[in-house]
Amino acid sequence: IGQLAVVNHLIEAGGEQLLLKATADGFTCLHLAARWGHRAVVEHLAHLSRGSLISRRACGGKTALEYAAAAGHAGVCEALRAAAAGSGTRA
């Protein structure tokens, strides 16, 4: 099973509110997927959240784009910028 299939299964089981949940450190599922370079998951989560997670900051003050950039995930950064442009939000 791939990461995207697991994400879909979890969302089906936990509902859309799962997208908005954050860890004690403020990390959403989008932050974590971006940080670890899972582009397909990032694209899917950004789409499902209709852009609402793109500008959200974790407790450290960083967005998903900033975590992806710090980890060197250029493709994920590109996907987040495209999702932000499509939703009218800032990455």
Side-chain angles (χ1 to χ4, degrees), residues 1 3-4 8 27:
I1 255 181
Q3 286 92 2
L4 190 53
N8 280 328
F27 287 99

Side-chain angles (χ1 to χ4, degrees), residues 24-70:
D25 293 331
F27 287 99
T28 65
C29 49
L30 184 64
H31 285 108
L32 296 172
R35 185 177 187 180
W36 297 110
H38 298 291
R39 183 178 181 154
V41 173
V42 165
E43 290 171 333
H44 189 58
L45 293 173
H47 171 74
L48 288 176
S49 71
R50 296 175 285 290
S52 67
L53 294 177
I54 294 173
S55 60
R56 194 158 163 189
R57 296 182 180 277
C59 288
K62 293 182 182 179
T63 64
L65 176 61
E66 291 169 315
Y67 282 108

